[in-house]
Amino acid sequence: MASDFDEFAARLTAADPEEVQVAGPSLEQRNQRASVIVVQTASTENRTDSVESEVINEVHTDQDSRQSSAESNGPLSPILITSRRRRARDEENEEEETEDAGPPSRKAKSDAEGGFLLEKKDKSIVEDEEDGQVCPVCFDVWSNSGSHRVVSLKCGHLFGQACIERWVHSGGKGARCPQCNESAQKKDIRPIYVRNLKAIDTTERDRALAALEHEKENRRRLELEYHKLQIQMTAKEQDILRLQHELQQCRAALSGACLAASGQGAELPLAGAGPLFGSQPPGILGRRLVLDSTLELCKEGQCRVMSYSEHLTLLVVSYAGTNSHLTGTGVKKVNALGGFRTVGYIAVHRKPIRDMAFHLEQNDLLLTVSLDKTAKLVNVHSDIAVTSYSCDAPLWSCAWNADNKYQFFVGTGTGKVLLYDTRKPGDAVDCWSEPNSMSPVTGLAYLPFSPVTTFPRGGLFVQRLQSCVFHESRTDGFVAHPLPLDGSFTSLCVEPETRHFLASSRPNNAHPQARHTVCAPSWTVLGSDSSNGICSSHAITTIQAGTQQKLLSRSCLLTAPGSTEGKQLIVAAHQEAAQCISLWDVNSSAVLQKLPCSDPVLDLLPIRVNGVHFVAALSEKNARFYKWT
């Protein structure tokens, strides 16, 4: 057979194309041969042998046709044989491509028993599975609980509950099933449970959402109650302040009535004539200080500073206990109502206390600073230290911020000023110091903001041994303004009504005498902006005192009792060489009165008890109380 093919190919190559005669079977024979070529498989497995069978049939058919043609018409045309071979090869390639494409391509062909019917079955299964997972209305998966749980109509079709309820509601009385168009009403909606239903379990999620909504509702209710309680508390605080003011007025009236009945008089009239000053002056506006009582505080001599709360009529004195029942350093409480007497002791620090200050609004809260590098807030009612603040250096002075009730200042022995906030326990929120200065901060005093005065600015006076600076309070912090004063400074005192301040200094090489300088702060506006300016001060008077002062004793600036118009300012200070407490008039710098005092006075403090004015003088062991008469 191979030799026949080679012979035909040689004849075809050598033949002239115009002389080639195409001879072959008739049209009927070719159709008969084509019908024999078609192979119909009964299954998918039999189709893989179709090409081989077709080629074999083709070869046998060609051999029979060639023999018949050879008997009648002569030999077959090589073109016919070549075309048949080419057709068989093309069909074989086509079947190989079909086989490489995979089973789905073969299944796509029509076959009564093959894979086409199986493919239809698979698609129906997938559709059934998808139909059991999603809602036909929104095409979203349903759940077995919540608003989108699976329900059915009376026709049996499944939907998400929220979707079919909305569908039926929008259709009204003429609502129908979205799938079969059968009449449907809201009463026909019923939850169902299917064995093969694939639903998302949202029970825990729905329970969590319900709990979240419940908590939100509780929070809204509690916030409303909180705001109501805040309003009630504000109203109660206002009532308390009003009642306290009325109580003070009643106490003053009662005290005045008692003094008038005894023949002394609560307020003596202004002296109409006579010299105001002299060797033995009649007093200030017809009044003078007399010793009312002396209270022994410490036999060992460990007292240092004082602080007074007029609201509580309570005087506290720093004290260092050394006996068996008073150990450590703390404060002694002295009740000023009904006579000065000791009522208690609070142990606070491990080393001596250098300064104390009562809170401006929360009257039972006392701020103390000590050389043990701590500042503490003490409740004088419960005798407990509420909060403690640690610093990196011994503390010398303290003051509350009169413009912010949550803030206070402390001055260190290394020249730093620390700002603390009671709402933020821990470290200081701000700190500032003077360049090239490590001298201790001997005094702090805060002047509140007052827009109706000649000096409206609020801020902190900071006094070190060799300098005095006013730190102006602004919205973005504090701005330092150095004041033109000379040291060495020992104490600082601010008179809040006149807004004047007193800076006391002890003798030095430039000034052989102790000086008490009363100053008025000034404010100079820069440009058109009234909030931008320079703070300074000018001295009203400078009082020359004694030539000896070894102790850092505190002086005070006070107003004369009974002076209503043009407050008369008085300077009270201890003179070590003269062993007395001297009172000077600020306007004339003249000595008004001298109070003999053998013990060195460390602190002077004006106090008022039920409308009666006193001056308390503290020494290391005793406290003397001088009363205005």
Side-chain angles (χ1 to χ4, degrees):
M1 182 177 178
S3 61
D4 293 339
F5 290 161
D6 297 334
E7 182 180 357
F8 289 146
R11 290 173 59 186
L12 179 63
T13 303
D16 188 359
E18 296 181 356
E19 298 179 356
V20 175
Q21 295 181 355
V22 179
S26 63
L27 180 61
E28 295 179 357
Q29 292 176 343
R30 286 195 294 254
N31 292 336
Q32 183 180 1
R33 184 170 60 248
S35 64
V36 175
I37 293 174
V38 176
V39 178
Q40 188 175 11
T41 60
S43 62
T44 307
E45 291 80 1
N46 294 334
R47 295 183 61 87
T48 57
D49 299 332
S50 60
V51 177
E52 182 179 357
S53 300
E54 184 176 338
V55 173
I56 294 173
N57 292 336
E58 176 75 19
V59 171
H60 289 302
T61 304
D62 289 344
Q63 290 178 355
D64 295 340
S65 299
R66 186 173 55 190
Q67 290 177 2
S68 60
S69 298
E71 293 176 357
S72 59
N73 299 327
L76 291 174
S77 171
I79 297 178
L80 179 60
I81 296 174
T82 304
S83 63
R84 290 177 179 177
R85 289 176 178 271
R86 186 181 296 110
R87 185 172 66 250
R89 187 166 55 253
D90 294 339
E91 290 178 357
E92 182 180 358
N93 293 335
E94 181 180 357
E95 291 297 329
E96 289 178 357
E97 291 176 359
T98 305
E99 184 177 0
D100 294 338
S105 300
R106 294 196 300 269
K107 292 178 181 179
K109 296 182 179 181
S110 299
D111 196 336
E113 298 178 359
F116 184 75
L117 295 178
L118 181 60
E119 183 178 3
K120 284 187 176 180
K121 184 178 180 180
D122 294 341
K123 288 184 177 179
S124 64
I125 293 174
V126 173
E127 290 177 357
D128 291 340
E129 290 178 353
E130 293 179 352
D131 184 66
Q133 295 179 4
V134 299
C135 171
V137 178
C138 66
F139 297 99
D140 194 6
V141 293
W142 46 44
S143 60
N144 60 359
S145 64
S147 62
H148 203 253
R149 64 170 301 168
V150 60
V151 298
S152 70
L153 295 175
K154 63 181 180 180
C155 60
H157 290 111
L158 306 180
F159 306 90
Q161 183 177 359
C163 296
I164 194 61
E165 286 180 353
R166 186 166 57 251
W167 179 280
V168 172
H169 178 73
S170 62
K173 295 183 178 180
R176 295 183 177 276
C177 174
Q179 289 191 330
C180 66
N181 204 28
E182 185 178 348
S183 177
Q185 300 297 329
K186 188 174 182 180
K187 63 181 180 179
D188 300 329
I189 301 173
R190 58 183 61 86
I192 65 171
Y193 300 90
V194 183
R195 178 182 300 176
N196 294 329
L197 175 65
K198 294 183 179 179
I200 299 176
D201 188 3
T202 59
T203 304
E204 295 297 332
R205 184 196 66 181
D206 296 337
R207 185 182 297 112
L209 291 176
L212 178 61
E213 291 297 329
H214 181 69
E215 293 298 329
K216 287 182 178 179
E217 183 64 26
N218 289 339
R219 180 177 179 179
R220 286 191 290 267
R221 178 177 55 81
L222 292 176
E223 286 180 350
L224 180 61
E225 292 180 359
Y226 172 73
H227 291 304
K228 289 182 179 179
L229 292 176
Q230 270 193 331
I231 295 174
Q232 295 176 2
M233 184 184 67
T234 303
K236 295 297 183 183
E237 288 179 350
Q238 294 177 355
D239 292 341
I240 291 173
L241 293 176
R242 177 178 55 81
L243 292 175
Q244 288 176 352
H245 181 67
E246 292 178 359
L247 177 61
Q248 291 179 358
Q249 291 180 346
C250 292
R251 286 177 176 176
L254 180 61
S255 177
C258 293
L259 292 176
S262 63
Q264 297 181 7
E267 292 286 343
L268 296 180
L270 176 65
L276 186 60
F277 308 104
S279 59
Q280 295 294 330
I284 298 95
L285 299 178
R287 309 184 66 180
R288 56 187 302 163
L289 285 174
V290 295
L291 181 62
D292 181 78
S293 61
T294 301
L295 180 64
E296 184 179 10
L297 298 173
C298 176
K299 294 182 179 181
E300 297 82 2
Q302 297 291 332
C303 298
R304 183 64 183 85
V305 292
M306 297 182 295
S307 184
Y308 179 70
S309 171
E310 183 177 356
H311 175 76
L312 302 176
T313 61
L314 181 66
L315 179 71
V316 291
V317 181
S318 66
Y319 171 85
T322 56
N323 52 30
S324 60
H325 65 282
L326 293 178
T327 58
T329 300
V331 294
K332 269 194 173 183
K333 299 191 295 184
V334 178
N335 187 3
L337 187 62
F340 297 94
R341 65 187 187 279
T342 304
V343 294
Y345 171 82
I346 308 173
V348 183
H349 295 276
R350 294 179 289 104
K351 292 184 178 181
I353 295 174
R354 294 291 302 185
D355 199 2
M356 299 184 296
F358 275 99
H359 195 276
L360 303 177
E361 295 185 10
Q362 191 173 348
N363 301 288
D364 58 351
L365 192 62
L366 178 67
L367 171 63
T368 64
V369 294
S370 169
L371 296 179
D372 62 0
K373 303 180 182 181
T374 60
K376 294 187 178 182
L377 299 179
V378 182
N379 189 304
V380 295
H381 282 329
S382 60
D383 299 345
I384 296 176
V386 179
T387 311
S388 179
Y389 302 87
S390 298
C391 305
D392 58 355
L395 303 182
W396 278 52
S397 54
C398 64
W400 287 97
N401 188 340
D403 293 327
N404 188 334
K405 63 181 180 181
Y406 300 107
Q407 295 180 350
F408 64 88
F409 307 89
V410 296
T412 69
T414 57
K416 293 182 180 179
V417 178
L418 306 176
L419 172 61
Y420 288 91
D421 195 317
T422 57
R423 298 167 296 183
K424 302 176 182 179
D427 297 333
V429 298
D430 198 1
C431 173
W432 58 83
S433 59
E434 193 175 35
N436 302 324
S437 177
M438 295 289 289
S439 60
V441 180
T442 57
L444 293 175
Y446 195 91
L447 187 66
F449 177 76
S450 179
V452 297
T453 59
T454 56
F455 183 75
R457 313 307 297 177
L460 180 70
F461 287 98
V462 178
Q463 185 187 72
R464 297 177 177 85
L465 287 178
Q466 301 298 332
S467 65
C468 190
V469 181
F470 179 74
H471 292 264
E472 179 194 359
S473 176
R474 295 185 180 179
T475 56
D476 55 348
F478 289 84
V479 178
H481 301 274
L483 302 179
L485 297 173
D486 297 330
S488 301
F489 297 107
T490 58
S491 68
L492 175 69
C493 181
V494 171
E495 205 291 307
E497 295 184 8
T498 60
R499 300 176 71 83
H500 290 31
F501 68 94
L502 170 66
S504 298
S505 57
R506 58 185 175 183
N508 54 25
N509 295 332
H511 303 279
Q513 292 179 300
R515 291 167 295 129
H516 306 284
T517 304
V518 179
C519 300
S522 61
W523 171 253
T524 303
V525 178
L526 298 178
S528 59
D529 187 4
S530 60
S531 62
N532 185 20
I534 298 177
C535 295
S536 185
S537 66
H538 62 276
I540 296 177
T541 185
T542 299
I543 297 172
Q544 302 290 335
T547 59
Q548 180 182 351
Q549 185 177 352
K550 297 180 180 179
L551 302 175
L552 294 177
S553 60
R554 295 185 174 186
S555 56
C556 68
L557 179 66
L558 62 145
T559 58
S563 58
T564 56
E565 296 182 0
K567 297 285 185 179
Q568 183 179 6
L569 292 176
I570 300 171
V571 174
H574 178 257
Q575 297 193 70
E576 294 182 7
Q579 295 185 348
C580 68
I581 300 173
S582 299
L583 277 70
W584 291 274
D585 176 49
V586 172
N587 294 328
S588 61
S589 301
V591 178
L592 300 177
Q593 191 175 356
K594 291 184 178 181
L595 303 174
C597 184
S598 58
D599 299 332
V601 175
L602 301 175
D603 196 1
L604 288 169
L605 184 66
I607 61 177
R608 186 174 64 175
V609 182
N610 291 338
V612 180
H613 295 268
F614 295 85
V615 173
L618 178 67
S619 61
E620 290 185 347
K621 298 180 180 181
N622 304 317
R624 293 181 175 86
F625 300 95
Y626 297 91
K627 180 181 178 181
W628 287 102
T629 60

